[in-house]
Amino acid sequence: MKKVAIIMGSDSDLPVIKPAFDILKKFGVEFEAHIYSAHRTPRAAESFAKNAAANGFGCLICAAGKAAHLAGVMAANTVLPVIGIPVKSSTMDGLDSLLSTVQMPKGIPVATVAIDGSANAALLAVQMLALREPELSAKLVKYKEDMEREILEKDSKINEQI
């Protein structure tokens, strides 16, 4: 099975990324986490992205705040799918990061999740890998069934309280 790379622009992004670690562990997906900056380590980021497919990765998750160019830089240097997580890290409440991540030029797509949305980024990565891994697909079906059951149980409890 392919691995997932999780790239943070800074170690300050770690608290935002932790839910992604939990999701990938829950599904048994191997992953690596690294810190590369689009602006402070551009050559290292480029090298990682260019070699990601050969190194066994199936997709990249990139989290960055402020100018948030990391996902775009990675996407420009690989043919693997890239998922961007805009990080709330400035006076604009993450809107600057969201726009920097989502507004990619034609030909360099980046799938973008909500601000600080690392759990959904990891789930999207699992869904991508599940296209070729039937056991992951089965785990996703169970995950969604469990989620539905939990919500319906809460619905029942609410109605009992009314």
Side-chain angles (χ1 to χ4, degrees):
M1 182 184 313
K2 299 282 186 182
K3 305 180 284 188
V4 173
I6 300 176
I7 313 299
M8 294 166 272
S10 168
D11 61 344
S12 65
D13 299 330
L14 187 58
V16 170
I17 291 298
K18 285 188 177 185
F21 297 164
D22 295 339
I23 293 289
L24 294 172
K25 288 176 185 175
K26 178 180 182 113
F27 283 92
V29 173
E30 186 179 347
F31 65 93
E32 291 181 14
H34 299 278
I35 298 172
Y36 296 118
S37 168
H39 306 107
R40 293 169 291 202
T41 61
R43 287 177 296 283
E46 176 185 5
S47 177
F48 185 90
K50 284 183 175 179
N51 294 298
N55 288 330
F57 292 99
C59 70
L60 310 178
I61 296 173
C62 300
K66 297 183 181 179
H69 295 136
L70 182 60
V73 166
M74 300 304 270
N77 287 290
T78 187
V79 296
L80 296 176
V82 175
I83 304 165
I85 305 168
V87 175
K88 180 179 176 180
S89 63
S90 75
T91 57
M92 295 183 74
D93 287 332
L95 181 59
D96 51 346
S97 304
L98 174 63
L99 294 175
S100 293
T101 304
V102 78
Q103 292 287 26
M104 293 300 300
K106 181 180 177 183
I108 309 295
V110 170
T112 306
V113 296
I115 296 168
D116 292 350
S118 72
N120 271 352
L123 284 166
L124 183 55
V126 171
Q127 289 176 323
M128 290 174 178
L129 297 180
L131 293 171
R132 293 183 178 224
E133 301 289 341
E135 68 277 2
L136 267 185
S137 185
K139 287 179 182 180
L140 281 164
V141 168
K142 183 180 180 327
Y143 178 84
K144 290 198 173 196
E145 289 171 349
D146 290 347
M147 188 171 41
E148 179 182 23
R149 186 186 72 256
E150 289 173 16
I151 295 298
L152 292 176
E153 287 171 3
K154 289 177 183 182
D155 176 65
S156 293
K157 287 180 183 177
I158 288 288
N159 284 299
E160 289 171 8
Q161 294 174 5
I162 296 175

